[in-house]
Amino acid sequence: MKRQLMLCLMLTVAACAMPPPPPPPSPPPAPPSPPPPYLVFFDWNSAVLGPSGLEVIALAAQAFKAGSPVTVQVTGFTDTSGSADYNQKLSERRANAVAAVLVQGGVPQTNLVVTGRGENDLRVPTPDGVREPQNRRVEIVEGGPTPTSMR
């Protein structure tokens, strides 16, 4: 009898025990990483687009038209040969040349933010006065701040 009473008591206590807490919710998935920029490279001291640059711009325009409307950042750069003032203006000419082809390819000008960074943000760090082909570029990046005006 004592055993039955003890067994009943143990079953009652077990039935009244609180269930274990649920596991914590899993963290939300990480946001998708932004797409890599489209890169258009230029010859030294030039803002003229070559065939490979035109192909890259066409791909960027197609990607824009295939997705939902977003801002497209078009940023020009130079190497460190030339003065900082000259390089700033050259980077803007490069960015504007690429932006013009994007517009011809169907990207609305109102979706573009066009800037020049001159010899800032070098892709390949070099001392002043060095002609580095990887630094003579325009980067096309989908997404970013809302366009306010085109340079």
Side-chain angles (χ1 to χ4, degrees):
M1 175 95 151
K2 232 179 180 182
R3 273 191 188 162
Q4 287 177 343
L5 184 59
M6 191 63 133
L7 184 60
C8 259
L9 184 59
M10 287 175 65
L11 288 173
T12 303
V13 169
C16 292
M18 301 199 65
S26 51
S33 59
Y38 293 90
L39 298 175
V40 178
F41 293 99
F42 291 83
D43 287 335
W44 179 76
N45 196 29
S46 175
V48 176
L49 291 159
S52 62
L54 292 171
E55 287 178 26
V56 170
I57 297 167
L59 290 172
Q62 287 174 355
F64 173 85
K65 291 186 291 186
S68 59
V70 295
T71 299
V72 178
Q73 297 175 11
V74 181
T75 309
F77 300 89
T78 66
D79 60 23
T80 59
S81 65
S83 70
D85 184 54
Y86 180 83
N87 285 338
Q88 178 61 38
K89 290 175 183 162
L90 178 58
S91 70
E92 291 170 9
R93 285 196 315 270
R94 288 174 175 168
N96 283 318
V98 169
V101 176
L102 283 169
V103 170
Q104 290 172 355
V107 179
Q109 187 171 356
T110 55
N111 287 68
L112 298 177
V113 175
V114 183
T115 57
R117 297 282 296 136
E119 55 188 60
N120 297 301
D121 301 323
L122 298 173
R123 187 171 167 84
V124 176
T126 65
D128 196 35
V130 174
R131 295 181 182 182
E132 171 53 54
Q134 292 287 309
N135 291 335
R136 300 189 301 257
R137 71 196 189 281
V138 167
E139 295 182 358
I140 305 168
V141 179
E142 292 185 5
T146 305
T148 54
S149 66
M150 184 164 164
R151 283 189 173 195

